Amino acid sequence: MTTTWEPTASGILRLPSGRLIRGRGLRHPLPAGPTPDFALYLLGKEPPTAAWESRWLRWPDFRLPSDRPATATALREALERAGTERVEVACGGGQGRTGTALACIAVLDGVPGAEAVAYVREHYAPRAVETPWQKRFVAKFHA
């Protein structure tokens, strides 16, 4: 196991605790550099097998996760593992579902729900969290 990502690498979100999580879109090529130790994939259908440990959450594009309790558990696991491992969160484009998940992880890390979307847009991607219902999901998400 490795420790973390390079904090200056593209697509890396630094959480208030200092933990680093890479967000990305699976429709884009794998970024250069180290691969994840663990990945959380947010897709409407099961992703192809990865060369690293991964977990899949059924989460259709532009929607919300199908299983909310499983999602909360997976996001907590991603945050915990980011303390000692390279963790990646990814969906098709790397903006809506990935941004929503990263904003929820930021809530778990101490960012108030009402501020989490703005936090992720500032520190990860300006277009993260694409729909009004994704924004509401983050605002109501709790640790």
Side-chain angles (χ1 to χ4, degrees):
M1 265 193 291
T2 53
T3 54
T4 60
W5 299 105
E6 287 298 318
T8 57
S10 176
I12 304 297
L13 173 67
R14 179 184 291 278
L15 294 162
S17 64
R19 293 177 184 191
L20 304 171
I21 297 179
R22 179 170 78 185
R24 79 174 178 104
L26 295 171
R27 290 191 297 261
H28 308 292
L30 185 65
T35 58
D37 297 310
F38 174 75
L40 181 58
Y41 294 128
L42 318 167
L43 299 166
K45 62 179 183 173
E46 192 167 356
T49 303
W52 43 84
E53 185 181 354
S54 66
R55 185 169 181 179
W56 167 55
L57 291 175
R58 185 179 302 280
W59 191 330
D61 202 6
F62 296 105
R63 305 274 172 100
L64 295 175
S66 300
D67 184 337
R68 309 278 173 91
T71 299
T73 298
L75 297 176
R76 283 186 196 94
E77 179 184 5
L79 176 61
E80 180 65 29
R81 293 179 79 151
T84 59
E85 300 175 63
R86 285 192 296 264
V87 173
E88 170 177 90
V89 174
C91 65
Q95 300 292 316
R97 293 166 286 180
T98 296
T100 302
L102 290 173
C104 290
I105 291 170
V107 169
L108 294 172
D109 200 53
V111 176
E115 299 170 20
V117 171
Y119 182 88
V120 169
R121 287 179 173 171
E122 179 181 347
H123 299 284
Y124 168 66
R127 293 179 29 231
V129 189
E130 295 174 316
T131 68
W133 42 92
Q134 289 172 340
K135 291 176 192 170
R136 279 193 303 273
F137 182 77
V138 172
K140 292 179 179 183
F141 190 80
H142 52 82

